[in-house]
Amino acid sequence: MPRLNDPDERTTAPVGQTDGQSSPRYAGLTTFARLPRIQDVPRHDVAVVGVPFDSGVTFRPGARFGPSAIREASRLLRPYNPRLDVMPFSDQQVVDAGDLPCNPFDIAQAGKEIEEAAHALIRDGQRLVTLGGDHTIAYPLLRAMNRVHGPVALVHFDAHLDTWDTYFDAPLTHGTPFRRAAEEGLFLPGSSAHVGIRGSLYDPQDLADDAELGFTIVHCADLDTLTVREVVDRLRQRIGDAPLYVSVDIDVLDPAHAPATGTPEAGGMTSRELLGILRGFKGLDLVGADVVEVSPAYDHADITSVAAANIAYEFVSLCTKGS
Ligand code: MN
Ligand code: MN
């Protein structure tokens, strides 16, 4: 695989989107943002990849169909991001790496497959943007990140903590990825945060157990009094200059902004608040990110997959040099 810092490989101009001025955005075969497939170009700086896995859900299923729905919604995305002032698809080579293999009947096996395939995409320092899939996949993705970058600062947007120990005795579900990650030291405890937490819990002890893992929490209700800028400042102070991994469970958004998800909770963030916080990470060392838990069968007018496609667009934009 070509290396990012190889000057010979650098001379090839990035291949961007199919031109929306000559072929309208609703036409043609679907890749993320109408970008080239990984096999169409010699190298990549950023890989966008799908993980069609939802065998770890505890309520509504269907996130295995998330990657294809998000890709379809991503046809809307245009080449210039005015808020970050970058051209994310021409200042770097971004590719659609297709969907990773993952066994739908064996969660542990799927985890190994996801980790290996993700690692192959990033081993020379490339960035990874993942379209889920349920939240179980964050654990093997963090394992892959750890093999390249060591422990990362983890910012986790979610209505839920996802640090429970087991559910029906199962250790790997979409409610446990960050407990498993904590046990293996995959993230920096003093540099990590949950954002958007809300809703009912099984027990008050859930919050106490979570605090022991080293997360700080920006509760969704904190946004009643804190501005987006204040939340960003708090998070950036925490992250410092550590390599950053961002995991967005789409249920962090209010069901009005993201109805199609496995475990909806009332009283969530707006998509404007979430995009504003993500843009506030400009200049940080984003090494990987995911947007998970889009379950398209519950969607209306593609509200949820449009939100997810725009979140992925901000991730790719944040990877752009100079952002
Ligand atoms: Mn959630
Ligand atoms: Mn989650």
Side-chain angles (χ1 to χ4, degrees):
M1 185 177 289
R3 301 194 71 87
L4 276 180
N5 52 7
D6 182 338
D8 293 336
E9 296 294 343
R10 274 285 179 201
T11 55
T12 315
V15 179
Q17 299 177 281
T18 301
D19 182 7
Q21 303 288 343
S22 54
S23 168
R25 287 173 292 159
Y26 46 80
L29 297 174
T30 309
T31 56
F32 181 80
R34 306 173 88 216
L35 287 162
R37 299 173 306 165
I38 192 166
Q39 57 266 48
D40 296 333
V41 292
R43 50 174 292 281
H44 65 277
D45 300 308
V46 182
V48 180
V49 73
V51 182
F53 176 85
D54 67 359
S55 305
V57 298
T58 56
F59 204 67
R60 293 172 177 172
R64 65 180 60 185
F65 299 107
S68 53
I70 299 168
R71 282 194 181 94
E72 196 58 44
S74 72
R75 289 171 170 279
L76 281 158
L77 299 169
R78 300 183 189 84
Y80 177 56
N81 182 332
R83 300 305 301 176
L84 292 179
D85 190 23
V86 291
M87 303 282 284
F89 305 135
S90 52
D91 291 344
Q92 58 190 348
Q93 181 64 64
V94 189
V95 296
D96 189 324
D99 287 343
L100 299 187
C102 40
N103 187 322
F105 303 112
D106 184 332
I107 297 178
Q109 175 61 22
K112 288 180 195 153
E113 292 167 349
I114 293 164
E115 179 187 338
E116 287 307 319
H119 178 251
L121 292 169
I122 61 170
R123 64 184 164 206
D124 293 319
Q126 302 95 329
R127 310 309 192 197
L128 188 68
V129 173
T130 304
L131 316 173
D134 78 47
H135 224 154
T136 313
I137 69 172
Y139 167 59
L141 291 170
L142 283 168
R143 286 184 63 131
M145 289 290 148
N146 190 60
R147 286 162 65 176
V148 178
H149 302 286
V152 291
L154 169 64
V155 179
H156 165 223
F157 293 85
D158 203 320
H160 311 99
L161 298 165
D162 290 0
T163 53
W164 285 275
D165 190 6
T166 59
Y167 191 61
F168 286 81
D169 297 326
L172 292 175
T173 78
H174 77 156
T176 66
F178 302 116
R179 164 75 59 146
R180 299 288 88 84
E183 289 165 350
E184 295 182 20
L186 302 183
F187 60 86
L188 298 161
S191 306
S192 297
H194 303 293
V195 185
I197 300 298
R198 65 187 189 279
S200 55
L201 295 171
Y202 284 108
D203 195 283
Q205 190 63 32
D206 293 352
L207 286 165
D209 291 347
D210 181 81
E212 283 180 16
L213 303 180
F215 286 100
T216 190
I217 299 182
V218 179
H219 292 272
C220 208
D222 294 338
L223 282 155
D224 294 345
T225 48
L226 294 178
T227 64
V228 164
R229 174 49 57 191
E230 286 165 336
V231 172
V232 165
D233 289 346
R234 208 163 129 183
L235 293 172
R236 288 185 73 114
Q237 233 169 32
R238 190 115 178 133
I239 297 161
D241 54 10
L244 171 64
Y245 188 87
V246 176
S247 184
V248 173
D249 184 326
I250 201 72
D251 73 28
V252 75
L253 298 180
D254 190 87
H257 295 261
T261 193
T263 324
E265 303 285 350
M269 292 169 69
T270 66
S271 44
R272 188 179 65 218
E273 286 167 338
L274 176 58
L275 293 171
I277 294 173
L278 294 177
R279 288 169 189 144
F281 293 159
K282 181 174 170 137
L284 297 181
D285 182 20
L286 184 71
V287 293
D290 62 61
V291 54
V292 298
E293 299 282 349
V294 173
S295 183
Y298 302 95
D299 219 354
H300 306 274
D302 303 335
I303 296 171
T304 314
S305 42
V306 166
N310 279 274
I311 290 162
Y313 183 68
E314 296 302 330
F315 290 154
V316 174
S317 298
L318 289 168
C319 293
T320 314
K321 281 197 172 26
S323 83

